[in-house]
Amino acid sequence: MQTEILRTESQHAEQALGESQERYRRLLAATTDYIYTVHVAEGRSVETSHGPGCAAVTGYSSSEFTADPYLWYRVIHEEDREAVVEQARRILAGEVPPPLEHRLVNKDGSVRWIRNTPIPHRDADGHLIAYDGLITDITTRKHAELLLAAEYTITRDLTTVDHPSEAMPQVIEHLCRNLFWHYAAYWEREGNVLRRARSFWRSLTSDASWESMMRGKTLAAGMGLPGRVLASGEAIWIPDLSRDPELAREAPPLGNGPGCACAFPVRTDETCHGVIQLHCREIRPVDERMLEVLAALGVHIGQFVDRKQAAARLERAYAQLTRRGQILKRMVRELHSSQKQLRETQEHLIQAAKLECVGTLAAGVAHEVKNPLQTILFGLHFLTHKFATPDPDTAQTLKEMHEAVNRANVIIRELLRLSAVSHFDRQPGDLNELIEHSIRLVDKELMAAHVNVERHLDVNLPRVAFDANKMEQVFINVLLNAIQAMPKGGTITLTTHTVVMNGDNAASGPLFARFHPHDLLLVSEIEDSGAGISETDLPRVFDPFFTTKPVGVGTGLGLSISRKIIDLHGGAIGISNRARGGARVTVILKA
Amino acid sequence: MNIEKKKILVVDDEPSITRLLKVNLEQTGEFIVQVENDATHAVATAIRFRPDLILLDVLMPGTDGGELAAQFQAGHSFARIPIIFLTAAATKREVNSHQGLIGGLPFLAKPVDMPEILKCIHEHLATAGATPA
């Protein structure tokens, strides 16, 4: 009875277990595509059985799996085998590893994504006696996921580079890695042909001889897979290249067989920039979703290229504009400077013309004026004798008349000298020596006016060609002006030094405008400590007959003649006021 | 004393100059002066007057002073008579820079003071007198 009861209980229990297992199987059948069971003895797998659903996912039947004990291993995608074996090892070691997503290669050659969830079974003592692998076909979801990831990665690639050519290596690499292609190439469009610009090999070493053959290879529209894409403007997917001998010949050597290829244009609505070509060594049925995504990516990259090219064009245009702006600015600056120079030259020319005119006039009238002066002079002599003992008024009158004749004669003489400056005799000489000589010639005037002379003469001054007589005339003129500017005494400071045009900061200002870069210049400065020259007089000091001296003291020709002499030497002379008072005359000669 | 007076011929187209020069020179009591305002008659006048010295303007209408000097020097009777140029065409500085000579002859730049003329006349009369005839 006891035994009966026990048996009945045992039968019940077995029945209950059977029912429970059946429920489990039914439940699993609803949520999984198939189950395989691995029986384990002493920590090793001893037998594997595949549930009936396996044919739909793998293409192989349960009996085929039973007949071939290694078939289960071979259907695993070779790149994922390591991970699957590791998962099995962990189960056998007593762990409960998380579900694993990996690929299977279907009997028809196509790749399927599955999720493998292991469920261990243990006896009452806790020993592993078997485990189930719950297989769910996740190909559709996985592809969607991978595409999303690829889209994201490639979009990021594009945002991190400055130029499309920098993005392309990354783009093709990420296409390979994210979408499990083995080989990718970018064909850049050049006019009517495609030129292979970039390639990437994933988890394979590139075939060197094939690569060197392909480097820079061009394809016309319609030729090869990229050429077909260029011709049609559409993405193309060839699931099995072995069915297309022409394309199979062009396919990269990936082992096993020609495999699958796809290509899509990098384009915008208007232009096709190139074609991206992808290969894998498995047969891959047309994945419409991926094809769609790749076509969209192609447009995305195309727009990026367009944008970058437009930006580059804009940048170039901007740079050019900036450059033109700078050139324009420089031109305006140069224009201003030449305008200024022109104005100065013009003023100078006017001065020279005035001088020339005066000179010509002087030569013409001198004779006519000198004869009357001679008459007056003889007349005065006669009258002086006539009035042997003249009254004071008569004596004074005769004296003043005599002085007037002399003054008129001095003016005539100066005018003639002005017209006579045109020819001169230049010999190399020492400018310092000439200046010293000029100072000696005005020694009497210096003493009378209590004027000191300070010298800062550069002893290394090079010898320079000049007409000593005429240059002396210049320095005497300037020295006499300086002395006359200091009626109560003072100091004349004489300085000589050399400057190099554009090499020295000192060689700037309008006086230096007529010299050329690298000219070596001898600069002499004659400074007085007088009252200086009024701003209104300053521009006129070189005008003929301009004088600030009392009537009879100056002819107003000294500086005119000096300038003419310096001009004939190819030099420059200028007058300015010193900041600390007094005037400064600068004489520049070219070495 | 009259016998010792030297005869000077003044050739210049300006009558006021020649008149006053004559007055001034004769006023010294040393000279007898003949003036000639027409250069073309100068040689004829000189032949008549037989001067000891000639004062000659350089720039005159019709005849150039230099040419005239050459004519005087070419004529046998005047070859040794000193000639002094009076010229408005040169400045004192130019005269000095040529040691007072034009074409080997002395010259004075107008306007010139009487003392200077007298000094020059004395110098050249002395030179001519010292030279054996």
Side-chain angles (χ1 to χ4, degrees):
Chain A
M1 184 61 196
Q2 194 89 32
T3 317
E4 183 69 12
I5 290 167
L6 278 173
R7 198 171 56 234
T8 313
E9 277 186 356
S10 150
Q11 276 172 346
H12 276 285
E14 245 172 68
Q15 195 184 340
L17 184 65
E19 280 171 7
S20 139
Q21 273 182 345
E22 192 46 39
R23 259 205 314 281
Y24 162 73
R25 304 249 170 236
R26 272 207 306 279
L27 197 66
L28 289 179
T31 55
T32 61
D33 291 296
Y34 76 94
I35 300 167
Y36 68 89
T37 306
V38 179
H39 298 277
V40 178
E42 290 168 2
R44 293 178 56 213
S45 55
V46 289
E47 190 196 344
T48 306
S49 60
H50 282 70
C54 66
V57 180
T58 65
Y60 298 100
S61 67
S62 302
S63 51
E64 276 176 294
F65 275 107
T66 311
D68 184 344
Y70 296 105
L71 183 58
W72 71 271
Y73 181 78
R74 286 208 312 281
V75 296
I76 298 166
H77 191 284
E78 63 179 351
E79 288 170 18
D80 298 343
R81 282 174 191 159
E82 206 178 310
V84 173
V85 169
E86 171 64 11
Q87 190 193 35
R89 190 196 60 74
R90 287 176 67 184
I91 297 165
L92 293 173
E95 293 175 39
V96 185
L100 176 68
E101 291 183 355
H102 67 85
R103 287 162 292 175
L104 294 178
V105 182
N106 192 282
K107 195 175 182 179
D108 67 8
S110 67
V111 174
R112 288 309 201 44
W113 278 93
I114 54 134
R115 189 175 53 233
N116 184 340
T117 312
I119 308 285
H121 297 285
R122 301 175 199 280
D123 61 14
D125 298 330
H127 293 117
L128 185 73
I129 50 168
Y131 64 89
D132 288 338
L134 315 186
I135 303 297
T136 313
D137 189 331
I138 55 161
T139 307
T140 314
R141 175 179 65 73
K142 192 72 188 174
H143 277 187
E145 241 177 61
L146 290 172
L147 278 173
L148 210 63
E151 265 185 297
Y152 170 75
T153 312
I154 287 162
T155 306
R156 200 189 49 201
D157 289 346
L158 295 180
T159 57
T160 55
V161 297
D162 290 329
H163 194 265
S165 64
E166 291 171 43
M168 224 36 95
Q170 290 184 36
V171 166
I172 59 174
E173 177 180 341
H174 286 135
L175 280 172
C176 274
R177 292 199 188 283
N178 288 33
L179 301 177
F180 298 97
W181 297 92
H182 290 108
Y183 166 86
Y186 176 60
W187 294 76
E188 201 167 60
R189 183 176 169 189
E190 287 176 6
N192 293 326
V193 299
L194 290 169
R195 180 180 299 279
R196 212 202 64 161
R198 289 280 172 183
S199 70
F200 179 77
W201 301 69
R202 182 180 65 87
S203 62
L204 295 162
T205 38
S206 62
D207 185 302
S209 62
W210 192 80
E211 265 299 312
S212 71
M213 189 182 79
M214 293 300 286
R215 193 162 297 132
K217 182 181 167 73
T218 56
L219 288 176
M223 275 173 63
L225 184 58
R228 288 186 200 175
V229 170
L230 179 64
S232 70
E234 302 288 336
I236 297 176
W237 188 293
I238 312 287
D240 184 356
L241 283 171
S242 61
R243 293 165 187 274
D244 192 328
E246 192 228 340
L247 293 186
R249 270 201 308 280
E250 297 277 338
L254 300 174
N256 299 341
C260 164
C262 115
F264 61 97
V266 172
R267 54 171 293 191
T268 56
D269 290 342
E270 295 87 29
T271 33
C272 177
H273 294 291
V275 172
I276 291 178
Q277 174 192 17
L278 300 163
H279 281 256
C280 72
R281 51 186 185 192
E282 300 91 16
I283 291 162
R284 218 162 162 172
V286 178
D287 182 335
E288 292 293 351
R289 175 73 191 124
M290 190 187 289
L291 208 53
E292 225 171 80
V293 168
L294 290 178
L297 265 178
V299 174
H300 190 47
I301 301 169
Q303 282 168 347
F304 165 78
V305 173
D306 261 11
R307 251 197 329 274
K308 284 291 178 188
Q309 282 177 351
R313 271 199 302 276
L314 206 66
E315 232 165 79
R316 273 199 305 275
Y318 178 73
Q320 206 172 5
L321 216 63
T322 311
R323 226 171 22 247
R324 280 190 194 158
Q326 279 165 349
I327 291 170
L328 206 67
K329 258 190 220 164
R330 202 175 57 228
M331 278 167 74
V332 168
R333 252 198 329 270
E334 280 169 10
L335 204 68
H336 273 304
S337 133
S338 38
Q339 213 174 21
K340 198 163 155 239
Q341 218 171 323
L342 198 70
R343 209 166 40 232
E344 275 159 17
T345 311
Q346 203 178 24
E347 278 165 14
H348 199 76
L349 275 175
I350 291 170
Q351 286 270 10
K354 273 189 206 168
L355 223 55
E356 210 58 58
C357 182
V358 167
T360 313
L361 199 68
V365 302
H367 181 253
E368 299 311 315
V369 176
K370 279 178 173 180
N371 276 332
L373 285 179
Q374 184 67 79
T375 304
I376 297 170
L377 214 51
F378 285 163
L380 282 167
H381 186 82
F382 169 72
L383 290 174
T384 308
H385 278 264
K386 193 86 179 164
F387 299 102
T389 50
D391 61 288
D393 277 349
T394 310
Q396 184 64 20
T397 306
L398 291 172
K399 185 171 165 267
E400 281 174 7
M401 285 171 77
H402 201 271
E403 280 171 5
V405 171
N406 279 342
R407 207 158 77 207
N409 193 33
V410 166
I411 292 174
I412 299 281
R413 200 175 60 215
E414 290 292 311
L415 281 171
L416 282 173
R417 192 186 285 179
L418 186 61
S419 64
V421 179
S422 49
H423 29 67
F424 65 136
D425 179 26
R426 287 169 77 171
Q427 299 289 339
D430 182 342
L431 192 65
N432 287 340
E433 214 169 81
L434 182 116
I435 290 172
E436 288 287 2
H437 190 238
S438 304
I439 295 170
R440 279 199 298 280
L441 288 176
V442 296
D443 203 34
K444 230 188 289 173
E445 284 81 356
L446 286 168
M447 301 257 281
H450 305 289
V451 171
N452 301 318
V453 177
E454 258 182 40
R455 296 164 176 82
H456 301 285
L457 305 180
D458 179 354
V459 290
N460 297 318
L461 221 54
R463 287 171 78 77
V464 58
F466 52 73
D467 182 314
N469 276 331
K470 293 197 166 61
M471 283 304 292
E472 210 169 80
Q473 204 177 323
V474 171
F475 282 104
I476 289 170
N477 262 327
V478 173
L479 286 167
L480 287 176
N481 280 345
I483 294 167
Q484 281 161 0
M486 299 180 287
K488 292 173 185 163
T491 304
I492 291 176
T493 311
L494 278 152
T495 313
T496 57
H497 62 274
T498 55
V499 294
V500 177
M501 264 311 274
N502 293 5
D504 292 281
N505 288 335
S508 63
L511 257 192
F512 291 88
R514 75 193 55 179
F515 301 107
H516 300 106
H518 312 303
D519 277 355
L520 176 62
L521 306 176
L522 277 67
V523 180
S524 325
E525 285 171 343
I526 304 95
E527 299 177 330
D528 66 58
S529 57
I533 301 160
S534 80
E535 288 302 315
T536 46
D537 288 345
L538 211 48
R540 298 170 57 209
V541 291
F542 289 104
D543 280 356
F545 299 115
F546 178 80
T547 181
T548 57
K549 295 169 193 168
V551 175
V553 177
T555 59
L557 289 167
L559 282 176
S560 298
I561 295 170
S562 298
R563 173 174 267 193
K564 189 162 182 195
I565 290 169
I566 297 295
D567 277 354
L568 286 166
H569 281 84
I573 181 168
I575 286 201
S576 56
N577 282 315
R578 297 195 307 175
R580 59 179 187 275
R584 174 194 297 118
V585 176
T586 307
V587 175
I588 306 170
L589 290 181
K590 216 174 102 176
Chain B
M1 285 302 278
N2 232 9
I3 300 152
E4 288 174 20
K5 280 189 183 177
K6 294 289 180 185
K7 293 201 281 184
I8 294 175
L9 174 62
V10 178
V11 184
D12 195 312
D13 62 320
E14 283 255 353
S16 61
I17 288 181
T18 50
R19 190 184 67 80
L20 278 164
L21 190 51
K22 177 179 162 69
V23 170
N24 285 339
L25 285 173
E26 289 187 343
Q27 200 171 245
T28 62
E30 297 177 48
F31 311 108
I32 298 168
V33 178
Q34 171 80 47
V35 303
E36 178 54 69
N37 296 120
D38 187 343
T40 53
H41 298 154
V43 176
T45 307
I47 290 168
R48 262 200 323 273
F49 182 56
R50 307 192 64 82
D52 296 303
L53 185 142
I54 302 168
L55 276 169
L56 193 54
D57 187 15
V58 177
L59 287 176
M60 289 176 290
T63 311
D64 178 63
E67 253 172 57
L68 204 53
Q71 283 177 32
F72 281 129
Q73 288 183 319
H76 184 71
S77 45
F78 303 115
R80 293 179 182 278
I81 293 179
I83 298 173
I84 298 172
F85 284 117
L86 262 179
T87 176
T91 61
K92 274 196 172 62
R93 181 183 276 253
E94 285 169 319
V95 171
N96 293 340
S97 69
H98 288 86
Q99 285 84 41
L101 300 174
I102 288 181
L105 294 175
F107 74 101
L108 295 165
K110 286 180 184 173
V112 59
D113 252 336
M114 275 314 295
E116 205 174 329
I117 294 181
L118 288 169
K119 183 170 163 264
C120 192
I121 288 172
H122 286 141
E123 267 176 30
H124 287 92
L125 281 176
T127 315
T131 314

